[in-house]
């Protein structure tokens, strides 16, 4: 049986954290690991356990492969296939199959340059897997803190009297490299940081011309390497052909996120001839980055509403960078875009100001009934959309948009709108409905209530609910069973389901 030591998303083979140096794992004395062949330097992205004679088809690259050699017959071909698959290292467990690591395997790993670790009998493979994932979690936490500090530093720089040079200086400092703002003709507008060698500078200028928005079809970003220098170029918004170019000696996982934040800020700061509304909203965005509350920036965002919250994720499972997220926001008609964090599963959030509607229909009481937002599907994206809401209720709208996105993904539909309460349910006063809902649902914890709401919305489908909540279908069954116990109801009864659905929508 060939199984990974920890489940990974099937949508895209991306590491859950920055790579872990092999030396950090070897430094764990409690594991008792010993390198007996191959180089000392390797970066681990995954841990995989396999006793197959040829695990090549099941490897993504970057694995620490753990094996006891149950089916090892040809060490040379075995190691050659591992190297061809991109495995980072091989951990070989001694006993009960082998009393010692086979000498032919040691020679093959030395010949092909694959690090070989001897795993003592008292160290289970699961212990090694847990150690690697723990090291990854620690590295990810360090990287998130670094990105957060960089975001705060860039936002503070954006509030200075000379914001563009200040942002470039902070960017160069945070990435330990060179940051240059260039025109479409590679003319230097501002620069900060140590200048790279002339050859790298010339390569950076060529890369900037690739993304300069002087011709249709130019990419939004591009990367390259020149020797040991990492190069990157990002087109700025505003239609002026400005390009942010970066040259760094290293490339950390969070650097692209930091650069994306700088791109958003510089696009706002360098855009000429902003109207009063655009300038105010740019100021609101910067103040939010600095930690202001929505209430404090509400006067700059515009009228109290209505506003629509949109949650979006790429259909192919890839995480959108700041430029891709900004392009989605622009196509929706808003510059208020949050590209999200790693722990958001690639969710992009857009705050969309409602546009004026012509002759809206009137209700019996003369008031305009809630209108669904006119947001079209976007190819390549799955969208969850809230109904228009005042600024004071954006938090609730954000929750509804998240639920709509989960529903859309579970049902494989490109767009789901959180529909307002209508029909018979709308005839009950909201305060009475909310009081009844709180009483009825009091025994449920928030996770159980969310699971029940999702399960009911998907007509009791275990599989679709599991997809929407990103959990196993057995977890859904356990939670729904627990809900039935706590509420002391029969969830197969349609009357019960109807009352619970009404309550869950009005709590």
């Amino acid at each position: 049986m060939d199984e990974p030591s920890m489940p990974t998303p099937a949508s895209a083979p991306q590491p859950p954290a920055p790579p872990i140096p092999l030396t950090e794992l070897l430094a764990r004395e409690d594991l008792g690991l010993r390198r007996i062949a191959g180089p000392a330097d390797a970066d681990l992205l995954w841990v995989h356990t396999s006793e197959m004679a040829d695990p090549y088809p099941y490897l993504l690259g970057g694995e620490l492969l753990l094996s006891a050699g149950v089916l090892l017959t040809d060490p040379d071909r075995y190691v050659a296939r591992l190297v061809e698959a991109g495995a980072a290292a091989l951990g070989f467990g001694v006993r009960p199959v082998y009393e010692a690591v086979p000498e032919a395997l040691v020679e093959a790993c030395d010949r092909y340059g694959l690090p070989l670790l001897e795993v003592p009998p008292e160290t289970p493979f699961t212990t090694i897997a847990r150690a690697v994932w723990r090291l990854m979690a620690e590295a990810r936490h360090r990287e998130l803190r670094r990105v957060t500090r960089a975001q705060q530093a860039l936002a503070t720089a954006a509030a200075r009297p000379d914001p563009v040079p200040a942002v470039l200086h902070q960017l160069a400092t945070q990435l330990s490299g060179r940051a240059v703002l260039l025109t479409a003709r590679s003319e230097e507008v501002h620069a900060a940081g140590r200048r790279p060698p002339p050859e790298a500078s010339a390569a950076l200028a060529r890369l900037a011309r690739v993304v300069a928005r002087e011709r249709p079809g130019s990419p939004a970003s591009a990367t390259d390497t020149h020797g040991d220098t990492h190069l990157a170029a990002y087109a700025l918004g505003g239609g002026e052909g400005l390009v942010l170019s970066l040259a760094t000696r290293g490339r950390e996982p969070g650097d692209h996120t930091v650069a994306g934040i700088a791109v958003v800020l510089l696009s706002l700061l360098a855009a000429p001839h902003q109207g009063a509304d655009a300038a105010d909203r740019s100021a609101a965005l910067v103040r939010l980055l600095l930690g202001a509350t929505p209430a404090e920036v509400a006067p700059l965002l515009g009228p109290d509403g209505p506003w629509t919250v949109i949650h979006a994720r790429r259909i192919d499972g890839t995480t959108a960078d700041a430029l891709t997220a900004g392009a989605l926001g622009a196509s929706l008609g808003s510059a208020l875009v949050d590209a999200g964090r790693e722990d958001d599963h690639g969710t992009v959030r857009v705050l969309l100001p409602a546009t004026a509607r012509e002759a809206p229909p009137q209700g019996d009481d003369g008031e305009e009934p809630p209108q669904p937002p006119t947001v079209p599907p976007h190819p390549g994206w799955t969208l969850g959309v809230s109904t228009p809401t005042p600024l004071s209720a954006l938090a609730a709208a954000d929750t509804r948009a998240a639920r709509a996105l989960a529903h859309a993904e579970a049902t494989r539909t490109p767009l789901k709108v959180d529909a307002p309460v209508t029909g018979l349910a709308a005839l009950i006063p909201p305060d009475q409905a909310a009081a009844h809902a709180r009483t009825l649902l009091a025994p449920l914890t928030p996770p159980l209530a969310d699971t029940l709401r999702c399960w009911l919305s998907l007509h009791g489908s275990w599989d679709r609910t599991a997809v929407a909540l990103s959990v196993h279908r057995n977890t859904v069954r356990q939670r729904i069973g627990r809900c039935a116990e706590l509420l002391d109801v029969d969830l197969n009864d349609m009357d019960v389901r109807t009352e619970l659905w009404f309550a869950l929508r009005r709590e």
Side-chain angles (χ1 to χ4, degrees):
M1 187 69 176
D2 190 69
E3 296 181 353
S5 298
M6 182 169 288
T8 56
S11 57
Q14 298 180 357
I20 299 302
L22 178 61
T23 52
E24 287 193 18
L25 185 64
L26 292 172
R28 290 283 302 268
E29 296 182 359
D30 57 311
L31 299 176
L33 303 178
R34 186 168 65 94
R35 183 178 61 86
I36 58 176
D41 295 329
D43 288 332
L44 310 180
L45 298 179
W46 323 91
V47 179
H48 192 78
T49 300
S50 175
E51 296 301 341
M52 298 189 70
D54 181 15
Y56 175 95
Y58 301 94
L59 300 182
L60 299 171
E63 292 90 351
L64 167 61
L65 180 67
L66 301 175
S67 175
V70 175
L71 298 178
L72 180 66
T73 57
D74 186 346
D76 189 272
R77 183 178 184 279
Y78 182 79
V79 174
R81 291 285 283 171
L82 294 185
V83 171
E84 184 180 354
L90 172 63
F92 195 87
V94 296
R95 282 188 288 197
V97 182
Y98 288 88
E99 291 297 318
V101 180
E103 187 61 32
L105 185 64
V106 176
E107 294 174 356
C109 286
D110 271 331
R111 186 162 51 252
Y112 287 100
L114 180 69
L116 174 61
L117 313 182
E118 180 187 69
V119 182
E122 62 272 13
T123 302
F125 286 172
T126 54
T127 302
I128 299 173
R130 290 193 187 100
V132 171
W133 290 105
R134 187 174 297 112
L135 290 171
M136 285 184 170
E138 293 171 356
R140 179 180 180 181
H141 182 64
R142 290 194 300 269
E143 190 67 7
L144 288 175
R145 287 195 302 175
R146 183 181 76 88
V147 170
T148 300
R149 289 195 298 268
Q151 174 179 327
Q152 293 170 345
L154 289 170
T156 301
R160 293 177 59 88
D162 51 348
V164 173
V167 168
L168 288 174
H169 173 75
Q170 271 301 328
L171 183 60
T173 300
Q174 297 297 327
L175 301 185
S176 300
R178 176 81 166 174
V180 187
L181 186 62
L182 300 171
T183 67
R185 297 177 178 81
S186 299
E187 299 166 342
E188 189 174 293
V189 180
H190 295 288
R194 179 176 298 180
R195 187 182 297 273
E199 298 83 1
S201 295
L204 188 62
R206 291 193 296 271
L207 193 65
R209 287 193 289 272
V210 171
V211 302
R213 300 292 179 84
E214 286 197 315
R215 60 185 184 278
S218 297
S221 63
T223 60
D224 197 2
T225 57
H226 189 278
D228 59 353
T229 303
H230 295 261
L231 309 176
Y234 303 85
L236 301 187
E240 297 300 307
L242 295 177
V243 176
L244 171 63
S245 299
L246 301 173
T248 58
R249 297 299 297 270
R251 183 71 173 174
E252 299 298 327
D255 286 356
H256 188 63
T257 302
V258 175
I261 296 169
V263 167
V264 173
L265 290 173
L266 290 171
S267 295
L268 294 170
L269 295 168
H273 313 303
Q274 293 190 95
D277 291 343
D280 285 345
R281 288 181 180 172
S282 298
L285 178 59
V286 171
R287 293 189 188 184
L288 281 173
L289 288 170
L290 287 169
T293 64
E296 291 173 312
V297 300
L300 296 177
L301 287 173
D304 186 48
W307 294 82
T308 297
V309 179
I310 300 172
H311 282 217
R313 273 198 287 265
R314 300 283 298 176
I315 291 177
D316 59 10
T318 59
T319 300
D321 57 24
L323 295 173
T324 305
L328 173 66
S331 65
L332 290 169
S334 176
L336 303 176
V337 180
D338 175 17
R341 304 176 301 276
E342 291 184 19
D343 55 353
D344 284 337
H345 307 290
T347 302
V348 174
R349 297 190 297 176
V350 181
L351 186 58
L352 183 67
T355 56
R357 292 185 291 267
E358 296 183 6
Q362 299 291 312
D364 294 338
D365 56 1
E367 294 184 0
E368 179 186 344
Q371 297 295 309
T374 55
V375 176
H378 277 62
W381 292 88
T382 301
L383 304 182
V385 185
S386 78
T387 49
T389 185
L391 194 63
S392 58
L394 284 183
D398 185 59
T399 301
R400 293 197 299 272
R403 292 173 182 167
L405 175 60
H407 191 286
E409 289 184 322
T411 56
R412 293 181 173 86
T413 55
L415 183 145
K416 171 66 176 177
V417 177
D418 174 65
V421 176
T422 58
L424 292 175
L427 300 178
I428 302 176
D431 55 344
Q432 295 181 21
H436 172 73
R438 286 193 296 270
T439 301
L440 179 61
L441 303 173
L444 302 184
T445 62
L448 289 178
D450 287 341
T451 302
L452 181 58
R453 181 188 295 105
C454 185
W455 182 72
L456 290 173
S457 74
L458 295 170
H459 310 291
S461 170
W462 307 110
D463 291 330
R464 289 183 175 182
T465 305
V467 170
L469 298 177
S470 299
V471 298
H472 195 275
R473 68 195 307 270
N474 288 343
T475 302
V476 177
R477 288 184 178 274
Q478 292 168 1
R479 290 181 183 177
I480 296 301
R482 184 60 176 157
C483 289
E485 292 175 6
L486 292 173
L487 297 173
D488 192 22
V489 295
D490 179 8
L491 290 177
N492 291 319
D493 188 324
M494 182 53 67
D495 288 338
V496 172
R497 289 194 183 195
T498 302
E499 183 175 8
L500 288 173
W501 177 242
F502 170 82
L504 287 163
R505 296 196 65 200
R506 300 301 293 268
E507 64 170 334

